[in-house]
Amino acid sequence: MFKIYGSEMCPDCRECRANFDAYGIQYEVIDINESLANLKAFLKLRDHDSVFDPCRENNSIGLPAIVREDGTVFLDWEGYLEKEGLTVMHISDGQACSIDRKGC
């Protein structure tokens, strides 16, 4: 089962979860806004995993971050679905979390 680090405030996270739900992909949500412990766990990943290098360079958060059972992290949930032969359903309301409105 995947762990998805995200936030209910994040439109990308909501879209990821809606797609995973639609395809019956099991996951556990770890909402970084729910507790400081959740935020710290995410920051530990973000600060030390190279998958977040582009996020740090672009001043983006890096959500949603999906952790596989083996501990590897990936950010491209859309690419994951496509590799599984599934079609990404775009249900976003057009909002974005970043200051430049280009993503989260």
Side-chain angles (χ1 to χ4, degrees):
M1 179 179 345
F2 293 128
K3 289 184 181 180
I4 299 178
Y5 284 88
S7 168
E8 186 58 38
M9 294 184 287
C10 170
D12 291 346
C13 296
R14 291 192 305 265
E15 191 165 276
C16 172
R17 289 195 333 269
N19 274 266
F20 279 28
D21 288 345
Y23 290 117
I25 299 169
Q26 294 185 348
Y27 61 90
E28 171 190 359
V29 173
I30 301 170
D31 189 325
I32 65 168
N33 297 105
E34 187 176 283
S35 71
L36 287 178
N38 289 354
L39 177 59
K40 286 179 183 181
F42 171 70
L43 291 175
K44 183 177 179 180
L45 281 176
R46 190 175 186 279
D47 289 349
H48 296 96
D49 197 308
S50 62
V51 75
F52 291 99
D53 288 349
C55 299
R56 289 189 295 270
E57 291 169 9
N58 296 322
N59 296 315
S60 61
I61 299 170
L63 296 177
I66 299 102
V67 182
R68 292 183 170 96
E69 287 185 25
D70 67 3
T72 59
V73 181
F74 67 96
L75 305 176
D76 183 11
W77 63 270
E78 292 164 314
Y80 166 78
L81 290 178
E82 290 167 356
K83 285 180 186 175
E84 295 294 314
L86 304 171
T87 302
V88 175
M89 296 174 283
H90 295 286
I91 58 163
S92 175
D93 53 12
Q95 295 181 359
C97 320
S98 65
I99 294 171
D100 64 5
R101 311 301 291 163
K102 293 182 181 176
C104 295

